């Protein structure tokens, strides 16, 4: 759950988000190493009163500052490519949910269960503990299930985003965007529209309730 003092990522609720956090830490360590190395060279050159004539037009030095950046880029590229493959869509999803963005609320439809659809507005309950994040109709999703989400919009461009899940997809009028995810934790997870879509852009939250499969089937009945 996001709080006012949060400076880092939210706790992950999917395997993809866990890998995104690991990749972020990996990249930050490489950047810190580069910063320390470059800072040391700059400081030593500023306080060094002597010059080495061998450094001028030195082939060895030019080779080093050409090869090192390539090595750093490879250290970032390989984990990044691996993560992109992990984020690919599932070939055989267990459930498909359709999301439509409106000004300013979300509509959900369980495509595999044609009769079940509803609108999700921000709750106006002032006693709610989750300010600006609570909704009147939460989206229910079964735990540890392969979910395919089809996202579109009825008016302007919106963005369906859940930070703890590690997903963000634009809802574009006349276009269907698709994403896949799996929740590996039970609980309530929130997000917001991340594309400026008008006057009430800040008031169209997303709330997902992840529940056991048996309880999910009972809710449908």
């Amino acid at each position: 759950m996001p709080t006012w003092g949060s400076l880092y990522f939210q706790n992950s609720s999917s395997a993809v988000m866990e890998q995104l956090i690991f990749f972020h830490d990996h990249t930050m360590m490489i950047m810190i190493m580069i910063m320390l190395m470059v800072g040391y060279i700059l400081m030593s050159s500023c306080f060094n009163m002597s010059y080495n004539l061998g450094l001028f037009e030195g082939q060895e030095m030019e080779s080093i500052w050409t090869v090192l950046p390539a090595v750093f880029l490879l250290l970032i590229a390989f984990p990044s490519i691996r993560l992109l493959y992990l984020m690919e869509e599932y070939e055989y999803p267990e459930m498909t949910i359709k999301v439509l963005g409106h000004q300013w609320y979300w509509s959900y439809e369980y495509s595999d269960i044609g009769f079940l659809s509803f609108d999700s507005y921000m709750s106006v309950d002032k006693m709610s503990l989750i300010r600006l994040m609570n909704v009147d109709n939460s989206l229910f999703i079964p735990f540890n299930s392969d979910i395919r989400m089809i996202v579109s919009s009825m008016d302007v461009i919106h963005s369906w985003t859940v930070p703890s899940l590690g997903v963000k997809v634009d809802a574009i009028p006349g276009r269907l965007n698709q994403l896949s995810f799996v929740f590996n934790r039970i609980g309530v997870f929130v997000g917001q529209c991340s594309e400026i879509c008008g006057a009430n852009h800040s008031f169209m939250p997303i709330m997902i309730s992840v529940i056991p499969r048996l309880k999910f089937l009972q809710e449908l009945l």
Side-chain angles (χ1 to χ4, degrees):
M1 183 66 64
T3 58
W4 293 109
S6 297
L7 298 178
Y8 195 62
F9 295 105
Q10 298 180 24
N11 293 331
S12 63
S13 58
S14 68
V16 171
M17 187 57 188
E18 290 179 0
Q19 294 299 319
L20 284 170
I21 294 175
F22 292 153
F23 177 68
H24 170 268
D25 296 341
H26 170 76
T27 307
M28 288 300 297
M29 291 302 298
I30 294 176
M31 293 177 62
I32 291 172
M33 182 174 63
I34 295 173
M35 183 183 67
L36 292 176
M37 183 176 65
V38 173
Y40 171 75
I41 295 174
L42 287 176
M43 293 300 294
S44 61
S45 62
C46 288
F47 292 102
N48 190 6
M49 302 302 296
S50 60
Y51 295 93
N52 186 356
L53 295 178
L55 293 178
F56 294 102
E57 299 183 2
Q59 297 297 325
E60 294 182 0
M61 182 60 67
E62 291 183 3
S63 300
I64 290 174
W65 70 49
T66 301
V67 172
L68 273 183
V71 172
F72 291 140
L73 289 176
L74 289 176
L75 290 175
I76 296 175
F78 286 129
S80 176
I81 294 173
R82 174 179 174 272
L83 187 55
L84 286 175
Y85 276 99
L86 290 176
M87 297 173 67
E88 283 293 319
E89 301 165 357
Y90 302 108
E91 188 174 358
Y92 302 106
E94 299 180 43
M95 178 179 295
T96 299
I97 301 175
K98 185 177 180 180
V99 182
L100 287 177
H102 303 263
Q103 288 181 317
W104 289 270
Y105 63 95
W106 299 99
S107 295
Y108 298 99
E109 177 185 323
Y110 292 87
S111 300
D112 302 326
I113 311 169
F115 60 86
L116 186 54
S117 62
F118 57 90
D119 297 332
S120 179
Y121 290 85
M122 186 184 75
S123 175
V124 295
D125 183 9
K126 295 183 180 180
M127 300 301 292
S128 174
L129 297 177
I130 313 176
R131 182 176 178 270
L132 300 180
M133 289 292 186
N134 202 13
V135 298
D136 54 357
N137 292 315
S138 175
L139 176 64
F140 287 91
I141 289 181
F143 167 69
N144 202 22
S145 300
D146 298 338
I147 306 297
R148 176 174 61 187
M149 192 77 74
I150 298 176
V151 184
S152 186
S153 174
M154 294 297 292
D155 35 53
V156 298
I157 298 177
H158 303 274
S159 185
W160 196 86
T161 307
V162 181
S164 63
L165 189 59
V167 296
K168 179 181 183 294
V169 60
D170 288 338
I172 302 175
R175 177 174 176 175
L176 296 178
N177 286 331
Q178 182 174 307
L179 65 103
S180 302
F181 56 84
V182 177
F183 278 98
N184 58 12
R185 286 198 296 150
I186 294 176
V188 178
F189 307 94
V190 296
Q192 281 183 308
C193 176
S194 299
E195 186 74 30
I196 298 177
C197 55
N200 291 333
H201 157 70
S202 302
F203 306 107
M204 48 185 305
I206 301 163
M207 179 173 284
I208 302 176
S209 299
V210 183
I211 57 179
R213 297 193 183 194
L214 181 59
K215 187 176 180 180
F216 176 78
L217 294 176
Q218 293 174 352
E219 290 287 341
L220 293 180
L221 299 176

